Amino acid sequence: MALLKRELYRQVKGPEVTHADRCTLVFDTDAKNLYVEREVAHCDAGAAGSIEMQTATMDIADYLKQGGQTAGHRELWRLLRTLFKETGDTEGLID
């Protein structure tokens, strides 16, 4: 399975208790599926270095409907606008 990935957002907080959050736009070339993958990691250096990781996938529309406008939302909107940018070129359109 080949996955094409483009990072939308990454945030890392804290030196002793580290919290990392990353969102990635993913295209599964085999399944022909486009979705957003969110990975959240929480590492507590004081508790014997315990690490808790969660990964979730969601439909692009569901991701954009989430509350707030994060840097990930803004990057995805930018990519979508670029992808669907009208150029005024009608070549190749079916009549």
Side-chain angles (χ1 to χ4, degrees), residues 32-88:
K32 309 293 187 258
N33 189 21
L34 183 65
Y35 58 92
V36 174
E37 180 179 83
R38 182 172 184 208
E39 297 174 308
V40 177
H42 184 82
C43 177
D44 189 350
S50 65
I51 299 173
E52 180 183 333
M53 264 188 97
Q54 297 176 336
T55 302
T57 61
M58 63 190 85
D59 184 72
I60 292 173
D62 292 336
Y63 175 71
L64 290 173
K65 289 178 189 175
Q66 288 182 339
Q69 285 293 313
T70 67
H73 288 95
R74 290 188 296 276
E75 176 63 8
L76 181 53
W77 278 117
R78 187 192 70 74
L79 289 170
L80 291 171
R81 280 192 302 274
T82 301
L83 180 63
F84 292 104
K85 184 177 181 178
E86 291 186 29
T87 63

Side-chain angles (χ1 to χ4, degrees), residues 11-46:
Q11 181 179 36
V12 178
K13 296 179 185 177
E16 291 181 24
V17 176
T18 302
H19 179 82
D21 187 2
R22 180 174 68 173
C23 289
T24 307
L25 183 62
V26 180
F27 180 63
D28 182 336
T29 59
D30 292 339
K32 309 293 187 258
N33 189 21
L34 183 65
Y35 58 92
V36 174
E37 180 179 83
R38 182 172 184 208
E39 297 174 308
V40 177
H42 184 82
C43 177
D44 189 350

